[in-house]
Amino acid sequence: MNLFDILGPVMVGPSSSHTAGAVRIGRMARALLGQTPVQAELLLHGSFASTGEGHGTHQALIAGLLGLAPDDSRVPDSFSLAKERGLTFTFGTRELRDVHPNSVLIRLEGERGGRLEVGASSPGGGRIKVFQVDGLDTSFTGELPTLVVHNSDKPGCVSQVTGALAAQGLNVATLQLNRGGRGGSAVMVIECDQPVSEATAQWLRSLPGILRVNRYTPDQEEPL
Amino acid sequence: MIDFTSIEQMIAGAEQAGLPLWKGIQLSDCQRQNITPEASWARMSAMLEAMTQADGGYRAGDRSRSGLTGGDGGKMSDYGQGETLCGPFLTDVMAGALRMGECNACMKRIVAAPTAGACGVLPAVLLPCRKHLGVSDEALIQALYVASGFGMVIAARASISGAEGGCQAEIGSAAAMAAPALVHLQGGAPAQMAHACAMAVKNLLGLVCDPVGGLVEVPCVKRNVIGAMDALSAAQMALAGIESRVPPDQVLDAMAEVGRSLPHTLRETGRGGLAATPFGLEYAPKSE
């Protein structure tokens, strides 16, 4: 916690959890897709579903998918901006199990055909937590530079990736590993102390057994 | 390095370093964040600028999505054109609190201070000091450091979340940050800032979070007014030499304890208090 967690963020109202956090969830989903989304299905859970309408949560999520920041005054007008930029979307509700009341499941399709399903929560103060990526459990906040690596569940994948990061002088802060089933696909979430460059991500993609690499760099949202 | 877990230690830390309280707060945060004082100052002045812009962006014709909010800041300013009950300074403070609360409800750009729901209190008391007290922007930025330092201690010792501690943690915290900031602007001593903070908390102790429809509108917008008035009264008492009988850190501990004792229905669930009145229930969420 620092002074600017107390005084700040600069954000579009009315709620840090239902508006600012929702924008951040959209931005995170866009970053994890790694391309411009053209289609989105958003399933709201709990308080997002019941009070989202009055908090502008829907507009906030779409604003984030368009890459807007929580303090962008175009957040309330994101639906018309989405139309201009060719993003079509639908909203629904879904009861998710064992998640925070402020949660959403987002299914995205990108301009180059990429697909992603991400589940995230906004527990308060504009902070977020990604609890699911493509059906696999995760737990990360986007407060540190983050890599999400989809790999085949085979020996050596983790050491290859962490070795490659070490060679770049990147320190791993946390590492989570989850898989769908033995020998299937797995997802590695790596939070680093330093930003990960696109070149490093590109190099990781060339390694055997690595299916997809997406990176998220925390925003410098304020001051503008 | 200042310890932000107690008001007493925060003040003692700055005194031992021979620094004014605002400077001690700034330098300690710079050390924690590994940033320069210049970068920190630029960021804090951007906060003041964002508050000023937000205030200027108010339109009395704007309405929130629910239709519950809008126009009251305009009414207060109109009333202020003539003879008022509270005089020009307090009328400007009240109008400013309403404007910012309404801007937030209408999805405009605001500065959470410490939360979005309580975003009106600090700007309401600080911005009119330019016009009415001739205060410089430099002094206002210093005052924001004082406010944030007290906010850090409140967050560490009690809470700044309505879901955790009720409205006393949001509007109460904002008032408890604004009161010492006002004492700073008037040249008061750190001990007076501590008592101003404590008295502001005590006066709103136990305030419940009961938003109609779960929305940050009713009663949140108008509670920004009472938060601003609470800050002014606590600051004026402290400047007059009046002290909180209960030591300031113990007041924050009481705030934490009261917050924990509040029932779930009165902690931002939209299920008790004003939210559970027949009027409030008309706005209750359909599902859940």
Side-chain angles (χ1 to χ4, degrees), chain B residues 240-260:
Chain B
I242 298 168
E243 297 191 342
S244 167
R245 302 283 187 228
V246 182
D249 285 317
Q250 294 181 28
V251 170
L252 297 188
D253 294 342
M255 177 186 180
E257 193 260 325
V258 169
R260 281 192 297 270

Side-chain angles (χ1 to χ4, degrees), chain A residues 59-73:
Chain A
Q59 285 81 357
L61 288 164
I62 298 301
L65 290 178
L66 293 170
L68 303 189
D71 71 338
D72 194 309
S73 49

Side-chain angles (χ1 to χ4, degrees), chain A residues 6 8-9 11 13-14 53 55 71, chain B residues 46 65 104 108-110 112 114 214:
Chain A
I6 301 291
M11 53 168 275
E53 184 66 38
H55 282 121
D71 71 338
Chain B
R65 301 176 63 77
N104 181 55
K108 293 193 159 188
R109 193 165 171 266
I110 54 90

Side-chain angles (χ1 to χ4, degrees), chain B residues 1-25 28 150 153 189-194 249:
Chain B
M1 181 77 166
I2 278 180
D3 178 355
F4 288 108
T5 56
S6 123
I7 293 176
E8 196 182 327
Q9 288 181 29
M10 175 173 78
I11 290 174
E15 253 162 30
Q16 278 158 19
L19 296 168
L21 184 55
W22 78 266
K23 191 68 187 171
I25 290 167
S28 298
F150 279 92
V153 181
Q192 290 174 301
M193 299 179 201
D249 285 317

Side-chain angles (χ1 to χ4, degrees), chain A residues 12 18-33 35-37 40 42 56-72 74-79 81-82 85 87 89 91 104 106 108 118 128 216 219 221, chain B residues 107:
Chain A
V12 166
H18 286 65
T19 322
V23 177
R24 285 200 175 126
I25 288 175
R27 277 167 81 85
M28 171 62 83
R30 179 189 172 99
L32 296 182
L33 179 66
Q35 45 189 274
T36 303
L42 301 100
T57 305
H58 303 66
Q59 285 81 357
L61 288 164
I62 298 301
L65 290 178
L66 293 170
L68 303 189
D71 71 338
D72 194 309
R74 293 171 297 175
V75 167
D77 309 317
S78 65
F79 285 7
L81 199 62
R85 297 195 186 168
L87 167 65
F89 57 85
F91 279 98
V104 58
I106 304 178
L108 290 179
V118 54
I128 67 168
Y216 178 83
D219 313 308
E221 278 156 7
Chain B
M107 294 191 79

